[in-house]
């Protein structure tokens, strides 16, 4: 059996570089793996961020890997991974949506957009605050990886506005394949995780202990372990049944 290809989609203001640890692990295990930059981020910093552009970036990544893929997204990337899986289920072997179990609409999104707007008015457009928080919350290797591709200072307004157009609960209901929701125990973006789990047809919830929002960077070894287990399931059991809740490990 050929190893399952894995496509990785980053969070807002970061880039493909945030997945270095997982790319090295997957490559060593023989998996074709690619981390893409979304519009407005990393190598595509000066492109406008749109829903259509983000989905096209994922589609191009699937093409590069020869598709279909195990699709893994974190935060912003998780929302667009969900949206892509609903639209192109034939190209997604399984879906891992990390740190993206919060409905991106209503007062929560309005408040987040207002805060982002205030931060962007700072003289450095929020670079100092972003860097300070990254250094305070992540281990040294995670700091290096998340900053290596640059900080997308100007993407927040468009990124949040466009993401407000998405309908992740409806998209989870539409996607017929297996879904793993992977959230850090201390993540503020897991407020609606039970609604997301209920929406998924074949869903599993995995909570990573002592992990923050940037779970793959904060607890990379634990996240790797979860990801390896998911890959084993995808590769080894095409008739994997619906599982609605698991504490700590996928099964």
């Amino acid at each position: 059996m050929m190893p399952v290809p894995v496509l990785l989609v980053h969070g807002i203001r970061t880039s493909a570089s945030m997945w270095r640890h997982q790319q090295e692990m997957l490559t060593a295990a023989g998996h074709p793996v690619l981390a893409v930059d979304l519009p407005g981020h990393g190598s595509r910093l000066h492109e406008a961020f749109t829903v259509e552009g983000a989905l096209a970036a994922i589609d191009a990544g699937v093409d590069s890997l020869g598709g279909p893929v195990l699709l893994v997204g974190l935060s912003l990337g998780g929302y667009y991974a969900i949206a892509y899986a609903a639209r192109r289920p034939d190209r997604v072997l399984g879906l891992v949506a990390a740190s993206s179990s919060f409905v991106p609409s209503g007062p929560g999104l309005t408040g987040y957009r207002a805060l982002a707007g205030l931060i962007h008015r700072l003289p450095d457009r929020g670079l100092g605050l972003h860097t300070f928080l990254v250094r305070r919350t992540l281990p040294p290797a995670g700091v290096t990886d998340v900053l290596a591709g640059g900080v997308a200072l100007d993407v927040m307004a468009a990124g949040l506005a466009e993401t407000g157009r998405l309908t992740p609960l409806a998209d989870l209901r539409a996607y017929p394949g297996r879904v793993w929701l992977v959230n850090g125990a201390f993540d503020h973006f897991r407020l609606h995780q039970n609604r997301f789990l209920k929406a998924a047809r074949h869903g599993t919830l995995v909570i990573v202990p002592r992990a923050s929002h940037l779970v793959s960077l904060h607890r990379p070894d634990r996240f790797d372990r979860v990801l390896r287990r998911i890959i084993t399931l995808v590769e080894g059991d095409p008739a994997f049944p619906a599982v609605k809740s698991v504490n700590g490990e996928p099964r």
Side-chain angles (χ1 to χ4, degrees):
M1 179 184 294
M2 292 292 292
V4 62
V6 182
L7 184 67
L8 304 164
V9 191
H10 63 79
I12 201 164
R13 292 188 112 183
T14 65
S15 71
S17 71
M18 66 161 280
W19 293 111
R20 177 199 58 83
H21 191 279
Q22 285 72 40
Q23 284 187 285
E24 290 182 356
M25 179 272 292
L26 292 165
T27 299
H31 294 277
V33 57
L34 176 67
V36 296
D37 278 332
L38 297 176
H41 298 79
S43 62
R44 307 178 64 178
L45 193 63
H46 300 296
E47 296 181 30
F49 186 94
T50 65
V51 168
E52 294 75 18
L55 295 177
I58 295 173
D59 199 50
V62 176
D63 282 341
S64 294
L65 289 171
V69 302
L70 175 65
L71 184 55
V72 181
L74 183 141
S75 194
L76 181 77
Y79 290 111
Y80 286 89
I82 292 170
Y84 182 83
R87 290 157 178 78
R88 295 301 310 270
D90 58 308
R91 310 198 82 192
V92 180
L93 296 169
L95 170 63
V96 181
S99 309
S100 48
S101 297
F102 184 91
V103 177
S105 62
L109 179 62
T110 300
Y112 194 10
R113 291 178 66 180
L115 177 61
L118 290 173
I119 292 172
H120 194 259
R121 292 175 189 163
L122 294 172
D124 64 353
R125 308 199 313 282
L127 178 61
L129 178 61
H130 177 83
T131 304
F132 171 78
L133 292 174
V134 165
R135 294 188 184 281
R136 284 293 302 267
T137 58
L138 295 179
V143 172
T144 298
D145 292 345
V146 81
L147 296 178
V151 180
L153 295 174
D154 300 318
V155 78
M156 291 296 287
L160 294 177
E162 289 293 287
T163 302
R165 296 171 52 197
L166 299 181
T167 55
L169 296 178
D171 288 340
L172 286 171
R173 286 190 287 268
Y175 175 58
R178 291 160 288 180
V179 176
W180 289 268
L181 305 173
V182 182
N183 295 324
F186 303 140
D187 185 8
H188 53 294
F189 266 74
R190 70 182 185 99
L191 181 64
H192 300 142
Q193 64 187 14
N194 291 331
R195 294 174 63 186
F196 277 64
L197 184 62
K198 184 177 180 181
R201 296 195 203 178
H202 306 291
T204 299
L205 174 63
V206 181
I207 303 299
V208 179
R210 301 182 302 280
S212 66
H213 178 63
L214 297 176
V215 57
S216 64
L217 291 154
H218 191 208
R219 293 286 183 266
D221 293 331
R222 189 62 181 261
F223 187 86
D224 287 358
R225 194 168 100 186
V226 170
L227 192 55
R228 285 195 298 267
R229 179 61 177 155
I230 290 170
I231 290 170
T232 298
L233 294 170
V234 171
E235 290 182 334
D237 188 359
F240 182 64
V243 178
K244 297 311 291 184
S245 184
V246 174
N247 184 17
E249 295 292 340
R251 70 178 181 188

